[in-house]
Amino acid sequence: MSGTSLSAGNLGADIGGTFTDVVLEIGGERFSAKVLTTYDAPERAIIEGMRRVCSKAGVTPAAIGRIIHGTTLATNALIERRGARTALITTQGFRDVIEMRTESRFEQYDLNLTLPLPLLPRNRRYTLRERVGANGRTLIPLARADVEALAGEIAQARYESVAVGLIHSYLDPTHERLVRDVLLERMPGLAVSISSEVSPQMREYERFNTVVANAYVKPMMKRYLASLAAKLRDEGADCPIFLMHSGGGIMSLDGAAEFPVRLVESGPAGGAIYAADVAARFGLDRVLSFDMGGTTAKICLIKNQTPKTSRVFEVARSYRFKKGSGMPISIPVIDMVEIGAGGGSLAQVDSMRQIRVGPQSAGSEPGPACYGCGGLRPAVTDADLLLGKIDAAGFAGGSMALDIAASRQAVGAAIGDRLGMDDETAAFGIVEVVDENMANAARVHAVENGEDLSGYTMIAFGGAAPLHAGRLCEKLGIERLLVPPGAGVGSAIGFLRAPFSFEATRSVYMRLQDFDVATVRDLLAELESEATSFVRSCDAQAPLGVQTRVYMRYVGQGWEIPIDVTTVAPAIEAYRGLFEAEYAKLFSRTVQGLDIEITVWAVNASTAKAVAAKAEALGALTPLTTTAQREVFDPALGAPVTAGVFQRAQLAVGRVAAGPCVIVEDETTIVVPAGSSATCRSDGCIEIVRHGSKPAPQAVAAEMAEA
Amino acid sequence: MTTLSTVSLQVMWNRLISIVEEQAQALIRTAFSTSVREAGDLSAGVYNRAGLMLAQAVTGTPGHVNAMADAVAHFIREIGPENIFDGDIYITNDPWMGTGHLHDITVVTPSFHRGAHVGFFACTAHVVDVGGRGFGADANSVYEEGLYIPIMKFADRGKVDQPFIRLVRGNIREPDQVVGDIFALATCNDVGHRRLVGMLEEFALDGLEQIGDFILENSRRATLEAIAALNPGEAQGSLLSDGFATPIELRVRVTIAADEIRVDFAGSSGVDPKGINCPMVYSKAYACYALKCAIAPEIPNNAASLAPFVITAPENTIVNALHPAPVALRHVVGHLIPDTVYDALDKLLPGTVPAEGAGPLCNFQASIRPASDAARLAGARRAEVLMFNCGGSGARPGLDGMNTTAFPSGVMTMPIEATEHAGPIIIWRKELRPDSGGVGRFRGGLGQFMEVGAVDGHIFDISAMFDRVKHAPRGRLGGGDGASTEIRLDDGAAMAGKGRQAVPEGRRVMLSLPGGAGYGPAAGRDRADVLRDLALGYISADAASAAYGITEAEIAAVEVALRRGELPSNG
């Protein structure tokens, strides 16, 4: 796609908290490598990974035509407060917006609650006398001399980066631009971010916080990206480099250096794109992607092969992943819920004799008790081991022997002894609680989006997901589960499937009764030109798709619903009709007699999505049997059952393995519950279908015939 | 019926809590009033057939905790068990049987599964208007405060009572929003019901008996264990506050017994002539909330976990006002109850509770209108704008108080950009108030400055709902008091802390919202923390030197560091 020659390879590189994943697709084949992340110089792990995949593929870096990169570096800098020396300039009277937050407590019953500190302390927040009103008119003009005086103070304090956030600047950016111009005249090397460019949306706390976050990580990300580009060139990979952004598209290196806050959570966004690509192969319109690693689980809704997006999310939650305990960032993002539930999540018993799991994690050091590295508290992985879901001898392809006695000891001491349960029941309790936590998060996320999960298909990836996905499907009433190949490096593969895209947004309130066609045309044209010029800076030729959405609600409501108006010309009746149809779909009925308003206008420009090769329909299915068996606990029965053990390679296309069974591969194990069957599809995905009491092969054949 | 394993019961308890969270989310998503959708002034819960609360969503409103727990029993009694049918929806805004004032509407829906009645869902939300004088302190009886809805059927076997809707529409200022909110309340109960049926089917259950008993038994045991771990004893506490025209005093006696904690308000002021009285349900809720925070914060709210907290007050006191006392601003007294209870509790459980904080939310409602007929013709309009704002919280035994953070309420403020879109109002300033936190080893949280005016061509009345004007938050163990509330016009003219007052054209209201009090003597404060407070502008140089003995040389050093963009280095 997009201008590169067909023979050239595409390289995806994802820097995560523990591993840097690199994937090379070339000549119809895929090669991957996992390298430990090198915190002091993150580009080193990418270079190392690139060498490895090139060597596996038998090519030199010169064969790479395009590199797409995603990273948690910006996120980590925000979480760990390792950003630049940064100042905020804001409107007089509003110095403390980022500190006062929503003036509420995110945990109601903790008398010793500690609020997260703002990114910038009060002494680094400066004000100017100026004011724009809610109608966009200037109430107090900004005097250039005031800005010049302030520029002197900024220079004296030797800031590397400045964020400018003024009240109602999303309506009129003139004052913010003047501040930038004066600062740059005085200090040409200064990094300046203005809120009307970084996040032109109403709500001062979110907008100011977003521009501060951008300014805070900008110098560091700029240096890193420049160094990465130079090192890749030195290695011979002299090709364009692009960045995955939080919204699920890719942007240019220069764009990323200017708006690095858009890189936050780009890794998980890649995972969602990966799941969307799998969804496209199977023509699935309603998918729940489930990514479970060592510390957290991420859940995302994918409708019509497009991940659900949102305009605001929270980074760096400081209190048990609790909503409200982090910093709001308002940029276009793939909307997912992240909870503290992973293989390393620790279990304990609380004062109500309830088993609690997470969000504290054993991490990689000391790790779960079974790693034998000094961990004494039981983690989810220990419980999985005791229940037979993981084979102590076959973990990580047999490269790491697990100590089941240590798991038994930890689970017994922390849970079983306290609740008078045997070890197996205690382990069952741990796994049920973590599965229920994830199921609850998925349910709440679905309801927040007006979705009902029955009828959805789950796509599971990440090291721990295949162990838990089957049970999660049972809890959510989901009948069909896909576990794609290469699930361990899913995000990096996802990067290679992402289009070039950019979403331009504006907060402009308009009631339908005041709808002015000319104003709307101008606004949409302006947004379209902003979005397309951004994408054109990445790819000058590829055909572009433009999608226009307006966020609408009844006047007086607080929640908007996005309405796709791409195919209609701006007109009151057309907009109203689309809104009412969507509203009725979500909430059963429309509200009579109320005016409707538009709050946010969004235009997304994007190159075409990579076209996924469709998975072939299944032919005749023949049962696969095995003599290898082990005891695996069945949570639905509440008792152990004898399960067949298969290697993933054994499961050729067209063979079907009846549950209960486990399918073992190097990176993970897929647990297939009783009453379900697994088969391999033409693209390598393992598909698991629930069919209740019907005989397995017939039921599977019937249900899979539609795919 | 199958006997459920302990693991299944644990899962189902989690599920019920998740169900009520979903119920609350559905309400936020479909509600119209800003108090519900922006500030989170709502609650939601699930009950067994007997009306005992099994789970409640954690929302911004501790004031609904106990009130909601009691409400369903009133509905069962008033409707009559024989009149409860599938498809019914019940409603009230009775301050004494709901949640304390007419502005809170409670909706209860019975839940049926396979033809049998299995339980109830209930939810409450603060709506924008209920008619009468409008939201404020000025009424002389509840009759002036708005439309009263007795416990009644909003829908009978699926059929909505249309005359009721016409009656509501005809009596309130914002009929579309309020009727929309009533439907949102009913919708959220439906969402809870659908999830509950899913759970009953998944676990092949006929009803909530087994899981209900499990929840109540474990909660009761955990609460009793928490109480048994305390030293028994009895102590008294009191608090003075502004009242409306005359000060009011809250008095409390807290008794820790082996298996319960009793709180009695005997000796508190009598009923006030104006709308700041508190029905018993609301007083109970905040007394209970204060105790739960201090003693058993991890235990979810349900009938059993609340039962060991026994709250009593003589009738016709300000904390047990009877019909027809005016109660619109019952939150002012209600929000002062935790500080009153903590005055006593500190003597029983030293080192547990914070110093006094700002207490009541610092709310106001602005009624804006065109300044003249010419202005009206030029586009000026009418609007009602409600804002929730917060002072500082009290310092804790080991931590400073929180700046501009609500306690005991947990609702959110509205963004000023959103407020300015809601009506022709301008918030010129909303910023921390230096030196407002009480001094101490641990400093009180800061209050805030606000300046409020109307857009040119408009004038407005402000309905003030402030306390702590004449009675500042008191320090604990030698900590200093927090700064009191101040309210005046920008020309210096004085204004009252409560009641509706006209603001002349072109004038602004200048608010200084209170700070939390300090904990422990100021001499005990770490010097590095004082210098940091000075550098951040939390305290002035004068206060640093007067209260903490910081020298001129130290102050000069901080100023030098500030010009370099630095804070004084710690240690």
Side-chain angles (χ1 to χ4, degrees):
Chain A
M1 71 180 240
S2 59
T4 51
S5 79
L6 281 175
S7 57
N10 286 327
L11 188 88
D14 175 29
I15 301 184
T18 312
F19 290 105
T20 295
D21 298 340
V22 179
V23 168
L24 176 63
E25 287 188 345
I26 190 162
E29 283 191 275
R30 180 194 302 151
F31 306 90
S32 65
K34 260 188 180 311
V35 186
L36 280 171
T37 295
T38 48
Y39 276 99
D40 55 326
E43 61 274 25
R44 239 182 28 238
I46 295 184
I47 302 290
E48 173 61 27
M50 182 175 74
R51 285 180 186 151
R52 287 196 205 169
V53 290
C54 284
S55 130
K56 284 185 191 179
V59 298
T60 66
I64 299 169
R66 192 172 65 137
I67 295 173
I68 297 161
H69 177 32
T71 169
T72 58
L73 291 176
T75 320
N76 291 348
L78 292 172
I79 293 172
E80 294 161 20
R81 307 292 175 110
R82 287 185 293 100
R85 188 182 172 84
T86 306
L88 168 69
I89 297 175
T90 187
T91 304
Q92 194 178 72
F94 297 94
R95 182 182 182 187
D96 301 313
V97 166
I98 63 168
E99 181 167 349
M100 291 161 71
R101 304 160 49 86
T102 56
E103 303 188 15
S104 65
R105 291 166 295 132
F106 43 81
E107 169 56 58
Q108 295 289 339
Y109 287 85
D110 185 353
L111 287 177
N112 292 312
L113 188 65
T114 309
L115 301 175
L117 293 172
L119 267 180
L120 305 180
R122 198 160 190 260
N123 61 306
R124 292 187 176 176
R125 307 195 297 257
Y126 300 80
T127 61
L128 282 169
R129 191 178 137 73
E130 67 83 43
R131 188 67 148 82
V132 171
N135 56 6
R137 273 182 234 143
T138 301
L139 299 171
I140 302 175
L142 174 61
R144 189 181 175 93
D146 289 352
V147 189
E148 285 167 351
L150 180 55
E153 284 185 59
I154 299 286
Q156 191 186 7
R158 301 198 318 278
Y159 288 105
E160 291 170 84
S161 187
V162 173
V164 185
L166 304 178
I167 294 289
H168 290 308
S169 65
Y170 58 94
L171 295 172
D172 180 359
T174 314
H175 287 179
E176 287 192 352
R177 289 179 185 165
L178 175 59
V179 176
R180 175 172 61 190
D181 293 348
V182 172
L183 289 173
L184 289 178
E185 277 168 27
R186 171 84 187 247
M187 293 157 277
L190 188 70
V192 183
S193 307
I194 66 175
S195 79
S196 48
E197 277 185 5
V198 173
S199 175
Q201 299 196 45
M202 201 225 16
R203 284 171 202 271
E204 65 276 9
Y205 171 42
E206 285 82 356
R207 188 174 72 254
F208 291 1
N209 207 69
T210 306
V211 72
V212 165
N214 193 72
Y216 191 68
V217 299
K218 194 168 171 179
M220 183 192 96
M221 291 305 290
K222 206 167 196 162
R223 281 194 295 273
Y224 162 69
L225 291 171
S227 162
L228 172 67
K231 296 237 166 68
L232 286 168
R233 240 186 344 263
D234 293 349
E235 283 289 309
D238 193 9
C239 63
I241 304 164
F242 300 100
L243 273 292
M244 183 80 195
H245 64 69
S246 349
I250 43 187
M251 66 198 296
S252 70
L253 198 77
D254 292 343
E258 197 55 35
F259 299 114
V261 75
R262 292 207 172 195
L263 302 180
V264 166
E265 296 293 331
S266 54
I273 295 291
Y274 172 62
D277 183 62
V278 175
R281 279 185 240 155
F282 288 85
L284 299 170
D285 287 336
R286 291 191 295 164
V287 162
L288 185 76
S289 86
F290 169 49
D291 174 1
M292 184 178 179
T295 309
T296 67
K298 282 145 284 212
I299 290 158
C300 178
L301 296 173
I302 297 174
K303 287 185 73 182
N304 303 322
Q305 294 138 44
T306 309
K308 188 98 189 153
T309 55
S310 163
R311 286 173 294 116
V312 62
F313 80 113
E314 229 182 312
V315 70
R317 285 188 177 163
S318 61
Y319 192 99
R320 303 183 191 175
F321 289 91
K322 190 130 193 166
K323 202 172 185 171
S325 70
M327 306 175 227
I329 301 285
S330 68
I331 51 171
V333 292
I334 289 185
D335 187 17
M336 51 184 99
V337 52
E338 182 168 17
I339 63 166
S345 294
L346 293 168
Q348 58 178 328
V349 173
D350 73 4
S351 63
M352 273 149 303
R353 304 167 54 79
Q354 292 284 296
I355 299 170
R356 299 284 173 223
V357 181
Q360 204 194 340
S361 168
S364 54
E365 289 173 3
C370 60
Y371 281 16
C373 299
L376 296 175
R377 296 178 55 191
V380 170
T381 300
D382 291 307
D384 283 336
L385 181 62
L386 286 184
L387 297 178
K389 292 162 77 177
I390 305 173
D391 177 15
F395 189 69
S399 64
M400 183 173 170
L402 297 182
D403 182 352
I404 196 164
S407 291
R408 196 174 296 284
Q409 167 67 28
V411 169
I415 311 290
D417 296 352
R418 296 202 51 197
L419 296 179
M421 292 173 169
D422 60 45
D423 298 340
E424 192 169 62
T425 307
F428 168 45
I430 294 171
V431 170
E432 273 294 273
V433 166
V434 78
D435 288 350
E436 184 68 16
N437 287 350
M438 294 188 290
N440 283 340
R443 285 191 198 99
V444 171
H445 189 57
V447 93
E448 281 174 352
N449 287 288
E451 292 291 321
D452 183 350
L453 289 176
S454 54
Y456 266 67
T457 297
M458 178 182 288
I459 295 177
F461 54 96
L467 290 163
H468 294 262
R471 180 60 175 153
L472 210 52
C473 284
E474 289 181 341
K475 284 179 175 291
L476 295 171
I478 290 177
E479 304 283 331
R480 191 176 185 199
L481 163 67
L482 289 166
V483 183
V489 292
S491 289
I493 297 172
F495 296 167
L496 303 182
R497 305 287 174 267
F500 292 109
S501 80
F502 190 86
E503 184 177 70
T505 62
R506 286 285 184 287
S507 266
V508 175
Y509 282 57
M510 189 183 287
R511 293 186 179 207
L512 283 192
Q513 68 180 27
D514 302 331
F515 194 87
D516 181 60
V517 173
T519 310
V520 171
R521 280 221 182 92
D522 289 351
L523 176 64
L524 293 180
E526 190 184 321
L527 288 169
E528 182 170 337
S529 124
E530 184 181 327
T532 51
S533 67
F534 218 101
V535 176
R536 281 284 170 243
S537 71
C538 297
D539 189 318
Q541 280 116 40
L544 290 189
V546 170
Q547 189 196 25
T548 305
R549 275 175 307 171
V550 292
Y551 289 76
M552 301 174 76
R553 63 187 182 194
Y554 286 108
V555 173
Q557 283 184 321
W559 278 79
E560 307 91 351
I561 52 178
I563 305 295
D564 190 328
V565 294
T566 309
T567 56
V568 300
I572 301 182
E573 283 317 315
Y575 279 32
R576 187 200 310 277
L578 288 168
F579 171 74
E580 287 181 342
E582 184 70 15
Y583 194 90
K585 209 171 92 193
L586 287 173
F587 304 115
S588 316
R589 64 170 79 82
T590 57
V591 182
Q592 301 297 316
L594 287 191
D595 200 8
I596 295 162
E597 68 184 346
I598 300 169
T599 58
V600 173
W601 309 72
V603 175
N604 189 74
S606 154
T607 56
K609 252 192 300 197
V611 181
K614 292 271 185 260
E616 290 163 26
L618 278 172
L621 292 172
T622 45
L624 181 66
T625 54
T626 177
T627 51
Q629 289 181 330
R630 70 179 192 236
E631 295 281 291
V632 176
F633 196 91
D634 184 310
L637 289 177
V641 293
T642 302
V645 178
F646 300 97
Q647 299 300 316
R648 184 161 185 157
Q650 278 179 277
L651 203 62
V653 175
R655 306 303 297 275
V656 59
C661 67
V662 292
I663 301 167
V664 180
E665 54 184 309
D666 280 358
E667 290 161 352
T668 186
T669 299
I670 304 169
V671 175
V672 182
S676 296
S677 290
T679 188
C680 183
R681 301 297 301 256
S682 63
D683 66 339
C685 277
I686 302 288
E687 176 172 38
I688 294 148
V689 179
R690 283 168 63 200
H691 47 73
S693 53
K694 281 180 272 179
Q698 290 89 324
V700 173
E703 290 181 39
M704 288 179 177
E706 302 153 22
Chain B
M1 183 165 118
T2 48
T3 304
L4 293 160
S5 71
T6 306
V7 169
S8 297
L9 288 165
Q10 296 212 350
V11 165
M12 287 170 66
W13 190 354
N14 276 353
R15 183 77 62 86
L16 280 179
I17 291 172
S18 159
I19 286 172
V20 294
E21 295 291 345
E22 278 187 50
Q23 188 192 352
Q25 273 305 327
L27 180 53
I28 291 170
R29 210 183 137 71
T30 51
F32 286 77
S33 298
T34 53
S35 39
V36 184
R37 59 177 171 78
E38 301 284 339
D41 194 350
L42 63 106
S43 58
V46 60
Y47 301 71
N48 68 10
R49 281 187 58 188
L52 292 176
M53 188 169 80
L54 301 181
Q56 185 182 34
V58 176
T59 56
T61 51
H64 294 168
V65 172
N66 228 328
M68 281 279 290
D70 291 348
V72 171
H74 294 305
F75 278 86
I76 296 173
R77 192 187 63 244
E78 297 286 317
I79 298 289
E82 70 284 3
N83 288 322
I84 293 174
F85 301 107
D86 198 357
D88 281 1
I89 303 171
Y90 315 126
I91 189 167
T92 194
N93 70 345
D94 186 318
W96 289 271
M97 290 195 263
T99 53
H101 65 173
L102 295 173
H103 283 79
D104 279 359
I105 294 183
T106 299
V107 169
V108 172
T109 308
S111 215
F112 283 77
H113 178 53
R114 294 187 188 136
H117 177 214
V118 293
F120 296 92
F121 282 89
C123 55
T124 296
H126 179 150
V127 298
V128 68
D129 187 67
V130 288
R133 283 172 175 262
F135 191 36
D138 303 279
N140 302 296
S141 79
V142 72
Y143 296 109
E144 299 172 24
E145 292 184 325
L147 180 71
Y148 168 70
I149 306 169
I151 289 180
M152 59 181 286
K153 289 195 179 186
F154 168 66
D156 187 358
R157 285 175 255 212
K159 196 162 176 291
V160 171
D161 183 344
Q162 296 298 336
F164 166 75
I165 291 185
R166 291 184 59 207
L167 195 70
V168 169
R169 283 190 167 274
N171 277 281
I172 55 182
R173 293 181 183 81
E174 299 283 357
D176 290 337
Q177 289 195 43
V178 173
V179 170
D181 281 344
I182 291 173
F183 277 100
L185 287 160
T187 298
C188 93
N189 284 352
D190 286 348
V191 167
H193 168 72
R194 285 204 298 271
R195 302 293 170 209
L196 177 67
V197 166
M199 185 186 87
L200 294 175
E201 278 172 357
E202 181 182 329
F203 290 90
L205 294 181
D206 297 328
L208 288 168
E209 274 68 27
Q210 224 183 325
I211 176 63
D213 292 350
F214 177 80
I215 289 174
L216 297 174
E217 177 48 34
N218 277 279
S219 305
R220 180 179 296 111
R221 183 169 53 198
T223 309
L224 291 176
E225 281 172 8
I227 293 172
L230 308 174
N231 289 325
E234 186 169 282
Q236 299 190 39
S238 67
L239 186 145
L240 266 179
S241 86
D242 300 348
F244 190 92
T246 53
I248 54 173
E249 182 173 24
L250 301 179
R251 285 189 165 275
V252 75
R253 176 189 301 270
V254 176
T255 309
I256 299 177
D259 55 358
E260 64 181 20
I261 298 184
R262 293 190 294 275
V263 176
D264 184 60
F265 286 94
S268 297
S269 296
V271 168
D272 196 273
K274 291 293 181 179
I276 55 171
N277 298 294
C278 212
M280 191 66 212
V281 282
Y282 198 75
S283 303
K284 260 174 90 172
Y286 273 103
C288 223
Y289 171 72
L291 294 171
K292 283 208 68 190
C293 285
I295 292 162
E298 304 283 333
I299 304 173
N301 288 315
N302 54 52
S305 67
L306 297 171
F309 301 105
V310 180
I311 320 293
T312 53
E315 293 189 341
N316 286 314
T317 51
I318 194 152
V319 289
N320 187 6
L322 302 183
H323 188 271
V327 292
L329 299 195
R330 86 317 191 205
H331 74 267
V332 173
V333 166
H335 290 177
L336 288 167
I337 285 175
D339 276 344
T340 315
V341 169
Y342 287 162
D343 189 38
L345 205 59
D346 185 54
K347 295 159 191 161
L348 297 168
L349 307 172
T352 304
V353 300
E356 289 186 10
L361 288 171
C362 307
N363 302 345
F364 64 83
Q365 177 135 359
S367 303
I368 311 150
R369 60 189 184 278
S372 64
D373 212 41
R376 184 182 62 78
L377 292 171
R381 60 190 170 113
R382 284 182 169 269
E384 297 283 323
V385 176
L386 174 65
M387 268 195 95
F388 294 170
N389 308 285
C390 302
S393 79
R396 284 79 60 90
L399 292 166
D400 288 344
M402 294 174 281
N403 295 342
T404 59
T405 296
F407 180 87
S409 175
V411 303
M412 291 175 276
T413 190
M414 299 81 169
I416 74 105
E417 289 179 345
T419 298
E420 292 188 2
H421 279 287
I425 191 171
I426 301 175
I427 311 299
W428 290 100
R429 185 182 196 192
K430 188 168 170 59
E431 195 165 61
L432 292 177
R433 177 185 178 191
D435 288 335
S436 59
V439 299
R441 178 166 178 221
F442 299 101
R443 176 185 38 71
L446 303 188
Q448 60 179 301
F449 290 124
M450 291 187 69
E451 290 182 29
V452 184
V455 170
D456 279 353
H458 295 82
I459 51 173
F460 68 109
D461 289 351
I462 189 163
S463 179
M465 310 177 190
F466 307 107
D467 207 280
R468 301 288 200 192
V469 175
K470 293 171 188 146
H471 300 89
R474 294 173 298 177
R476 207 177 289 294
L477 296 181
D481 292 352
S484 55
T485 307
E486 291 168 21
I487 173 170
R488 59 182 173 83
L489 293 176
D490 59 347
D491 62 5
M495 295 184 77
K498 293 194 185 71
R500 190 176 175 115
Q501 296 156 81
V503 179
E505 187 173 1
R507 293 266 71 87
R508 295 180 192 175
V509 178
M510 314 291 279
L511 293 167
S512 305
L513 304 183
Y519 197 107
R525 188 165 179 79
D526 192 319
R527 228 168 165 74
D529 288 342
V530 179
L531 294 176
R532 190 179 169 82
D533 282 354
L534 175 63
L536 291 173
Y538 289 172
I539 59 173
S540 62
D542 286 352
S545 111
Y548 298 101
I550 298 296
T551 64
E552 282 192 19
E554 285 173 306
I555 291 168
V558 166
E559 279 165 1
V560 169
L562 280 178
R563 279 194 292 276
R564 295 198 308 264
E566 297 295 341
L567 292 173
S569 52
N570 267 351

